[in-house]
């Protein structure tokens, strides 16, 4: 069966009588069976139930009562609650845990007749940039299996890139949707913070966590966002901002675009990625957009601010995994010891490092020096970013400083790993929407992504400019 690039392609085959949802689901299940042993993208696959659901959806199509997403097969990162299905955040501490309800964003997809095929591998509690922190082993990049797929939504990007599902739902706290999308050659969209309900998304750093989409086409990303976004009584931080028809994104307007010269010229950036980014900038100029070089004075503080604040929030959020309420519990007579042993055995090295860092920055003696200070700098970065986005429609940059690196290459150097997030964290620190689109490959054939950021709630134009870049690239192949 062909690798469908969008739901509309699938729908037209279905209405021409050439395809049924049952056949489509079987196709994905076969692909998973063939590839997952090696790629390790899915942690659980709901084979028998998706076949039953496919039959029901085929009937609805016949009757003309099917929802907007009929024929869409979705994979979800192992951080989303799905009633009566396991949820482990790729962590051993949650072994045996099952969700009692479904996350709002996932429920909205199901209500429009999307089918959830399984839970996908990721870094433990979404902390990481390579998928190597998973309690279930690394997921492999389908372009080169010796390389990481990126993280933390690594399995989600692998599944879309290798056609094990049509779309994946991931989470993006500091780049976890955009970075793996860039490494695997697919699209990664992080909407504005508060655009999509976080109810049912396991919390890592609540003031940064955003539900995101990984897809092969902008069309699918737009449609899925349209379905998931909007007010939800179960998330007190959700925005009541109107949800525009995202699928009508192709206006082809001319825009004012900024690029951060210093950060593109940063010495840590891979030469090929830099060249590709400048090539996109040139093509934007050729297409008639105004593109200016700018600099943000606080750029160098973005990554430290991100890591201080997310560690602090994580240390608080993860205190609930204590052996009493969820998952595993160490055998012990004494309560204090039980907490300690459960957490020592159940949590991985990186998660423990962040809990300890977070506890330190929140401790009475250091709170002002680190936590309060980082909060203040966050505000300054946000204000500066917003000011720039009042003048410009978008900020363009690379998504990642490198292409996909080898498994094991950075795993014993956390600082080097954190630098992978250099370009992506700004959008989360400022709460703005951002997207990564595939624009080329390096000399080894490894995908390169370019990132665009925009002002809050401007996903529609973000999709439009991305479409212009992709169309221009395709025409000039
Ligand atoms: N790599 C970043 C981190 O480890 C981002 C993770 C994410 O977005 N969930 O914090």
């Amino acid at each position: 069966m062909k690798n469908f690039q969008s739901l509309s392609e699938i729908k037209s085959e279905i209405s021409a009588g050439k395809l049924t949802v049952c056949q489509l689901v079987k196709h994905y299940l076969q692909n998973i069976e063939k590839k997952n042993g090696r790629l390790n993208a899915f942690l659980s696959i709901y084979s028998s139930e998706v076949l039953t659901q496919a039959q029901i959806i085929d009937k609805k199509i016949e009757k003309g009562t099917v929802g907007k997403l009929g024929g869409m097969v979705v994979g979800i990162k192992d951080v989303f609650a799905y009633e009566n299905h396991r949820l482990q955040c790729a962590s051993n501490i949650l072994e045996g845990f099952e969700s009692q309800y479904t996350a709002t964003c996932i429920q909205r997809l199901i209500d429009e007749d999307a089918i959830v095929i399984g839970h996908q591998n990721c870094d433990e509690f979404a902390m990481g940039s390579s998928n190597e922190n998973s309690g279930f082993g690394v997921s492999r990049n389908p372009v080169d299996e010796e390389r990481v797929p990126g993280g933390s939504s690594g399995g989600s990007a692998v599944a879309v890139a290798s056609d094990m599902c049509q779309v994946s739902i991931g989470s993006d706290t500091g780049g976890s949707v955009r970075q793996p999308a860039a490494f695997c050659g697919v699209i990664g969209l992080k909407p504005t913070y508060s655009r999509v309900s976080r109810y049912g998304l396991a919390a890592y750093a609540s003031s940064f966590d955003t539900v995101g989409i990984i897809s092969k086409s902008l069309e699918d990303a737009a449609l899925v966002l349209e379905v998931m976004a909007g007010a939800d009584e179960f998330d007190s931080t959700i925005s009541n901002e109107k949800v525009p028809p995202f699928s009508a994104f192709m206006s082809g307007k001319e825009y004012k675009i900024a690029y951060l010269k210093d950060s593109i010229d940063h010495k840590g950036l891979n030469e090929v990625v830099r060249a590709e980014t400048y090539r996109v900038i040139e093509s934007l100029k050729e297409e008639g957009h105004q593109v200016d070089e700018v600099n943000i004075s606080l750029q160098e503080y973005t990554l430290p601010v991100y890591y201080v604040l997310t560690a602090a929030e994580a240390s608080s959020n993860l205190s609930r995994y204590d052996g009493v309420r969820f998952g595993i519990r160490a055998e012990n007579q004494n309560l204090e010891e039980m907490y300690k042993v459960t957490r020592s055995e159940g949590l991985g090295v990186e998660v423990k490092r962040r809990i300890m860092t977070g506890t330190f920055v929140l401790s009475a003696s250091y709170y002002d020096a680190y936590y309060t200070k980082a909060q203040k700098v966050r505000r300054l970065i946000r204000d500066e970013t917003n000011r720039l986005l009042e003048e410009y429609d978008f900020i363009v940059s690379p998504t990642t400083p490198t292409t996909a690196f080898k498994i094991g290459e950075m795993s014993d150097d956390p600082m080097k790993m954190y630098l992978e997030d250099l370009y992506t964290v700004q959008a989360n620190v400022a709460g703005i929407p951002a997207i990564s689109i595939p624009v080329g490959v390096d000399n080894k054939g490894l995908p390169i992504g370019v990132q665009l950021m925009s002002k809050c709630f401007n996903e529609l134009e973000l999709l439009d400019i991305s479409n212009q870049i992709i169309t221009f690239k395709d025409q000039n192949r």
Side-chain angles (χ1 to χ4, degrees):
M1 192 176 289
K2 100 180 217 219
N3 181 341
F4 293 105
Q5 292 306 298
S6 66
L7 179 63
S8 61
E9 275 184 20
I10 294 174
K11 280 185 171 169
S12 59
E13 295 266 312
I14 294 178
S15 47
K18 294 188 200 148
L19 179 72
T20 64
V21 179
C22 282
Q23 288 167 342
L24 187 69
V25 162
K26 281 185 194 147
H27 159 73
Y28 292 124
L29 289 174
Q30 275 162 10
N31 260 357
I32 293 174
E33 174 135 52
K34 212 162 49 194
K35 301 178 185 177
N36 201 49
R38 182 86 190 133
L39 298 179
N40 199 19
F42 278 93
L43 299 179
S44 49
I45 303 137
Y46 306 127
S47 315
S48 57
E49 68 189 83
V50 293
L51 287 167
T52 316
Q53 288 162 358
Q55 281 173 356
I56 298 171
I57 291 167
D58 274 329
K59 289 219 178 76
K60 284 192 181 176
I61 292 176
E62 241 172 69
K63 283 200 224 139
T65 57
V66 75
K68 266 188 189 173
L69 301 181
M72 183 172 270
V73 177
V74 185
I76 60 178
K77 182 177 179 178
D78 194 18
V79 290
F80 290 104
Y82 183 21
E83 192 177 354
N84 298 331
H85 294 77
R86 58 168 286 292
L87 171 61
Q88 258 187 268
C89 303
S91 179
N92 292 320
I93 207 162
L94 280 175
E95 198 184 301
F97 179 75
E98 272 193 10
S99 303
Q100 289 160 4
Y101 63 92
T102 302
T104 300
C105 61
I106 307 300
Q107 189 59 51
R108 288 187 181 170
L109 301 180
I110 296 171
D111 291 345
E112 288 293 342
D113 289 329
I115 291 180
V116 176
I117 197 163
H119 269 107
Q120 295 160 328
N121 201 357
C122 56
D123 285 296
E124 185 177 6
F125 286 105
M127 296 176 195
S129 311
S130 67
N131 217 122
E132 290 167 289
N133 300 335
S134 166
F136 295 89
V138 70
S139 174
R140 290 171 182 273
N141 193 316
V143 182
D144 175 348
E145 293 181 7
E146 298 310 313
R147 290 176 189 269
V148 304
S152 63
S153 316
S156 304
V158 173
V160 171
S162 55
D163 200 31
M164 299 189 203
C165 60
Q166 183 63 21
V167 163
S168 293
I169 306 303
S171 63
D172 189 311
T173 303
S176 276
V177 154
R178 290 160 285 154
Q179 190 250 18
F183 277 12
C184 295
V186 290
I187 292 164
L189 172 63
K190 172 224 173 287
T192 310
Y193 177 80
S194 83
R195 182 60 115 174
V196 179
S197 169
R198 288 183 293 114
Y199 179 69
L201 161 66
Y204 155 19
S206 313
S207 76
F208 295 78
D209 294 343
T210 316
V211 175
I213 303 157
I214 296 178
S215 65
K216 302 174 204 174
S217 64
L218 292 166
E219 214 184 301
D220 282 356
L223 185 61
V224 167
L225 179 60
E226 199 175 294
V227 171
M228 291 196 309
D232 177 25
E233 58 175 322
F234 296 119
D235 178 353
S236 60
T237 62
I238 194 84
S239 158
N240 287 323
E241 191 83 14
K242 199 171 148 276
V243 178
F246 289 116
S247 357
F249 59 83
M250 288 181 222
S251 70
K253 267 206 298 204
E254 278 176 14
Y255 293 107
K256 250 182 107 179
I257 304 167
Y259 68 93
L260 305 172
K261 176 119 178 49
D262 283 356
S263 71
I264 302 182
D265 290 341
H266 193 278
K267 61 179 182 338
L269 182 65
N270 168 305
E271 280 305 325
V272 191
V273 178
R274 179 179 300 124
E276 203 61 34
T277 311
Y278 275 122
R279 198 189 52 75
V280 171
I281 291 171
E282 284 314 310
S283 72
L284 285 166
K285 288 183 187 163
E286 277 170 43
E287 287 290 280
H289 302 286
Q290 180 187 330
V291 190
D292 296 338
E293 165 189 330
V294 298
N295 279 310
I296 288 191
S297 62
L298 296 166
Q299 192 72 20
E300 62 177 305
Y301 302 108
T302 315
L303 203 59
V305 160
Y306 170 81
Y307 274 99
V308 168
L309 294 179
T310 54
E313 293 188 26
S315 78
S316 154
N317 275 327
L318 271 66
S319 64
R320 73 190 65 171
Y321 306 109
D322 55 6
V324 177
R325 288 167 287 181
F326 314 89
I328 60 163
R329 173 185 303 198
E331 286 299 326
N332 224 294
Q333 305 299 318
N334 164 324
L335 184 65
E336 182 85 19
E337 277 303 303
M338 190 279 288
Y339 287 153
K340 275 192 197 159
V341 180
T342 303
R343 285 167 72 80
S344 303
E345 287 174 354
L347 296 170
V349 175
E350 181 60 26
V351 171
K352 283 184 205 158
R353 176 163 27 238
R354 303 221 188 171
I355 292 174
M356 286 191 272
T357 315
T359 309
F360 174 78
V361 302
L362 287 175
S363 61
S365 340
Y366 294 98
Y367 189 91
D368 282 343
Y370 292 102
Y371 184 73
T372 310
K373 183 69 135 286
Q375 287 286 32
K376 289 180 180 167
V377 182
R378 179 182 195 183
R379 169 53 69 104
L380 293 174
I381 294 172
R382 202 165 72 191
D383 290 349
E384 194 177 17
T385 308
N386 287 342
R387 263 198 308 276
L388 188 63
L389 286 167
E390 269 163 31
E391 207 184 322
Y392 290 93
D393 299 304
F394 310 107
I395 303 170
V396 61
S397 74
T399 308
T400 54
T402 64
T403 48
F405 45 90
K406 290 236 167 89
I407 293 170
E409 196 178 320
M410 297 206 201
S411 43
D412 49 9
D413 188 346
M415 276 311 288
K416 226 167 146 190
M417 191 71 92
Y418 296 167
L419 280 170
E420 270 302 308
D421 308 326
L422 194 61
Y423 297 104
T424 48
V425 293
Q426 187 178 353
N428 304 76
V429 169
I432 57 176
I435 192 167
S436 174
I437 52 171
V439 289
V441 291
D442 70 4
N443 46 9
K444 297 192 190 79
L446 300 169
I448 297 171
V450 150
Q451 172 180 254
L452 291 131
M453 298 184 272
S454 194
K455 55 178 84 63
C456 284
F457 304 107
N458 195 27
E459 292 88 353
L460 197 69
E461 289 188 333
L462 202 54
L463 290 160
D464 180 36
I465 189 71
S466 305
N467 182 49
Q468 293 191 41
I469 295 174
I470 290 178
T471 316
F472 185 80
K473 185 193 85 184
D474 289 346
Q475 280 164 0
N476 286 280
R477 256 206 189 129

